[in-house]
Amino acid sequence: MPASQTSPPSPTTQLISVVLPCYNEEAVLGRTHDRIARALRPVEGVRYEVIYVDDGSADATWNLIRTFTRESPMVRAVRFSRNFGHQAACLGGLKEARGDAVVLLDADLQDPPEIIPEMVARWRQGWRVVSARRTARHGESVFKNLSAFAFYRILDRLSDHPVAFDTGDFRLLDREVVDLLTGLTDRELFLRGAVSWAGFPETAIEYQREPRAAGASKYTLPKMLALSRSAFLTGGSALPLRIPLGTGTAALAAAFVMALTRRGRPKALPLALFGAQSLAVGVVGEYLHAVLRQGQGRPSYVISERIRSTIPGAVLASVEEVA
């Protein structure tokens, strides 16, 4: 066994939880459920449970999920009181999961559930994190492909720890990793950054990401920017805090050079100083906002309904439940 691995989990305690965050996915959810049911073929010593997390959908997503729970004893579900975002939905699913390992999977079929058994096989070999690495992103715009490519590489440069390239939230996490993540107190938890920060033994399975089976991407540009903000500000890097110092030093150096060589442009100096001050204030402001969010102590999400049983209609309402 490679030195980077640890002892395999006991074959007598292998329940695998598959968590699917959902937001307005009625157009594709039926196909997703069918493919998951076919993909989770029986493996000796392994049982599965599927947990749907409805992140405040405004369409028929929750009604479909309720139907799934009535049809299959392996399905459970929770519903948020409103849309709290993809990362909150992933975290909520991790907290609901009972498995010895948990697989995070989006519901739009861009990430193939058929590779879950291979993930489980790698986990049974002793890997604590099994990531799915995208080698291609079909059906996405040039901007989305370029921005995603740049995002992971810039994050890796800024981060204080290694970051897995081209790897989203589609991954298998051992119970030890799940317990660590769900025990963190971060209010704006960036899951893939937290997994990298934890440093557990990790391997990857490569695949080509397919176009969405139906519907439109829920990651609009504002949501992509919000995710990037969380990644850079709460992902563990101290480098942004040092930007004002470097910028101020560069501005002073530039001002000195301009004073010597560009005496006919007196407006350049105050403009450069203004830009440096604005950038410094902006960076500090972002960090203060992150501190405010953390200090408020508000929950990441609120659960309005939970289906724990496969008995028709067995919905436990708990509108004030938070996590």
Side-chain angles (χ1 to χ4, degrees), residues 35-146:
R35 280 183 60 178
I36 289 175
R38 292 194 299 268
L40 303 185
R41 53 185 179 273
V43 178
E44 183 179 358
V46 173
R47 296 179 296 117
Y48 290 98
E49 68 171 359
V50 179
I51 302 170
Y52 287 96
V53 181
D54 184 356
D55 187 22
S57 298
D59 60 4
T61 294
W62 181 244
N63 291 334
L64 287 171
I65 292 173
R66 289 171 62 110
T67 301
F68 300 156
T69 63
R70 295 188 179 105
E71 294 175 346
S72 173
M74 65 189 290
V75 178
R76 297 191 294 120
V78 293
R79 185 184 193 187
F80 288 177
S81 60
R82 64 170 177 83
N83 178 241
F84 284 90
H86 182 265
Q87 294 294 285
C90 289
L91 180 61
L94 291 178
K95 289 187 176 182
E96 292 293 318
R98 301 173 297 190
D100 299 288
V102 182
V103 177
L104 288 171
L105 173 68
D106 286 345
D108 56 16
L109 290 181
Q110 287 188 279
D111 300 325
E114 288 77 12
I115 69 174
I116 292 177
E118 185 177 353
M119 288 178 157
V120 173
R122 297 281 186 96
W123 170 70
R124 297 180 82 182
Q125 292 172 3
W127 296 99
R128 292 300 181 243
V129 178
V130 183
S131 301
R133 179 177 299 151
R134 299 179 290 251
T135 58
R137 304 169 67 105
H138 299 299
E140 296 184 346
S141 66
V142 173
F143 171 76
K144 183 65 177 290
N145 279 286
L146 290 177

